[in-house]
């Protein structure tokens, strides 16, 4: 039986790079695709950036491939992530031969808590000019992330936190993650997230897998995009117990949208993570190798030092996949 993949291209370059990833998935597997709309364009027509049928398509499919939304991103991405019940955001950031990078020896994976922290959505205006947010950290969510991290990185990982200041919330996060790791015989080191940001810039080769609260994971993974040569290369996976949502880290890139020069690598690498999530490890590896070869030999889009179009990179990827 072929698995069902919901495809949500969204706005801007999302609509340019997602079809490339769909062609790649089609080249290596036998999937049925369900196309659905989300983002600014659909909101302009219906006032709703995430139509109910799109949410339902993501909740029903075996996996969802999402491109990007524009201004409505928060109203699309957060509900889509919860539609697949995702609790961890996996964000690899590595360098590729052939692509200039600030730090050529970077090979990091951020495991970001995906449901709470300051993104829990409990914001309030108490009075004119006075606002608050409630930072939510629970033992359950921290332990679930830690169990995932132990499976993902049995050789050990770094725990990012700021428990010296946020004693209750990050205190609970750090303690819970360390307890779960100890119970699984997985070694950990901890790092204050601000100092870690500096160390990642100076010597990313000292780190491997970094387990983070929600906001820290968002910021540190974007920082690492800068180390490896840009957002056009960074995939991500939002994983739940049964389903996943796979999306590039980048947004709709209005500055280049419509020009046909968006780098499809981040979305194609997200599709490789999708394949692995569905248990198609060999196919995932084939897609990864194709991306590596094309980045090394060209054609490459302008963001990674080339002059090629999205279509030329697509054709080269499909040629690699034979
Ligand atoms: P962005 O990621 O869209 O673009 C940042 C810069 O990186 C731009 O110069 C862009 O041209 C370049 N870039 C990004 N992806 C690229 C690719 N695949 N190939 C070549 N160059 C690429 O972030 P920005 O400019 O902060 O946001 C633009 C819009 O995207 C905003 O409306 C924002 O709300 C939305 N956004 C949506 C996200 C999502 O849907 N998950 C995530 C981030 C931003
Ligand atoms: Mg971000």
């Amino acid at each position: 039986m072929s698995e069902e993949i919901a495809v949500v291209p969204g706005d801007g370059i999302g609509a340019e790079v997602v079809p490339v990833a769909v062609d790649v998935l089609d080249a290596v597997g036998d999937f049925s695709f369900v196309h659905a709309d989300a983002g600014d364009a659909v909101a302009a027509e219906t006032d709703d950036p995430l139509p109910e049928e799109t949410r339902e398509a993501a909740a029903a499919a075996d996996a969802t491939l999402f491109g990007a939304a524009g201004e409505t991103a928060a109203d699309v991405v957060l509900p889509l992530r919860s539609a697949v019940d995702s609790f961890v955001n996996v964000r690899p950031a590595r360098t590729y031969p052939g692509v200039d990078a600030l730090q050529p020896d970077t090979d990091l994976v951020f495991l970001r808590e995906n449901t709470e922290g300051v993104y829990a959505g409990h914001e309030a205006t108490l009075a004119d000019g006075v606002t608050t947010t409630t930072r939510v950290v629970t033992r359950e969510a921290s332990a679930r992330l830690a169990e995932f991290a132990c499976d993902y990185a049995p050789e050990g990982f770094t725990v990012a936190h700021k428990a010296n200041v946020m004693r209750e919330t990050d205190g609970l996060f750090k303690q819970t993650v360390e307890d779960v790791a100890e119970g699984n015989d997985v070694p950990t080191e901890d790092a204050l997230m601000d100092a870690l940001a500096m160390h990642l810039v100076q010597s990313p080769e000292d780190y491997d897998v970094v387990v983070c609260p929600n906001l820290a994971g968002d910021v540190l993974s974007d920082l690492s995009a800068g180390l490896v040569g840009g957002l056009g290369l960074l995939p991500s996976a939002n994983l739940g117990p049964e389903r996943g949502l796979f999306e590039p880290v980048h947004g709709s890139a209005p500055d280049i949208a419509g020009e046909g020069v968006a780098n499809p690598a981040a979305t194609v690498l997200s599709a490789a993570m999708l394949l692995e999530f569905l248990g198609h490890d060999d196919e995932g590896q084939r897609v990864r190798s194709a991306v590596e070869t094309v980045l090394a030999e060209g054609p490459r889009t302008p963001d990674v030092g080339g002059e090629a179009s999205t279509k030329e990179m697509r054709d080269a990827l499909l040629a690699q996949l034979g």
Side-chain angles (χ1 to χ4, degrees), residues 21-283:
V22 170
D23 289 345
V24 163
L25 287 169
D26 232 0
V28 300
D30 175 26
F31 301 107
S32 62
F33 297 102
V34 176
H35 290 266
D37 292 326
D40 298 0
V42 62
E45 284 173 24
T46 63
D47 266 353
D48 184 1
L50 187 65
E52 186 53 26
E53 55 266 33
T54 302
R55 214 196 60 78
E56 281 170 12
D62 295 296
T64 299
L65 184 66
F66 172 60
E71 296 307 317
T72 55
D75 299 322
V76 172
V77 183
L78 300 181
L80 269 184
R81 287 176 184 162
S82 55
V84 304
D85 199 16
S86 102
F87 61 88
V88 56
N89 188 202
V90 183
R91 293 188 165 200
R94 55 156 290 197
T95 47
Y96 292 90
V99 179
D100 276 344
L102 212 52
Q103 284 288 12
D105 292 327
T106 307
D107 189 357
L108 298 162
V109 179
F110 295 89
L111 302 181
R112 166 187 172 193
E113 201 290 318
N114 217 15
T115 62
E116 49 187 35
V118 283
Y119 292 171
H122 302 299
E123 295 240 309
T125 296
L126 298 186
D128 184 36
V130 184
T131 54
T132 62
T133 193
T134 301
R135 185 167 195 266
V136 180
V137 175
T138 65
R139 181 177 293 121
E140 190 188 356
S142 307
R144 195 158 65 154
L145 174 69
E147 293 286 356
F148 180 88
C150 290
D151 274 350
Y152 190 92
E155 65 292 343
F157 55 81
T158 304
V159 187
H161 66 91
K162 191 79 183 175
N164 57 335
V165 176
M166 294 183 280
R167 293 196 184 98
E168 296 298 324
T169 50
D170 266 7
L172 178 64
F173 178 79
K174 175 175 182 288
Q175 192 61 52
T176 304
V177 173
E178 288 176 349
D179 287 349
V180 169
E182 200 182 318
N184 286 285
D185 286 326
V186 173
T188 60
E189 58 167 8
D190 75 289
L192 292 169
M193 61 175 80
D194 46 356
L196 178 60
M198 180 192 75
H199 290 304
L200 286 172
V201 170
Q202 289 183 330
S203 41
E205 68 280 3
D206 291 349
Y207 298 89
D208 184 7
V209 175
V210 186
V211 174
C212 305
N214 203 340
L215 173 63
D218 195 7
V219 175
L220 294 175
S221 59
D222 272 25
L223 173 145
S224 301
L227 301 178
V228 302
L231 283 166
L233 297 173
L234 267 78
S236 79
N238 303 277
L239 304 182
E242 287 169 31
R243 300 178 207 292
L245 171 74
F246 301 82
E247 48 168 336
V249 169
H250 64 72
S252 61
D255 54 336
I256 58 164
E259 290 174 19
V261 294
N263 186 349
T267 308
V268 172
L269 290 166
S270 303
M273 295 177 87
L274 181 156
L275 287 164
E276 283 158 3
F277 176 72
L278 293 178
H280 305 302
D281 290 0
D282 292 346
E283 289 79 0

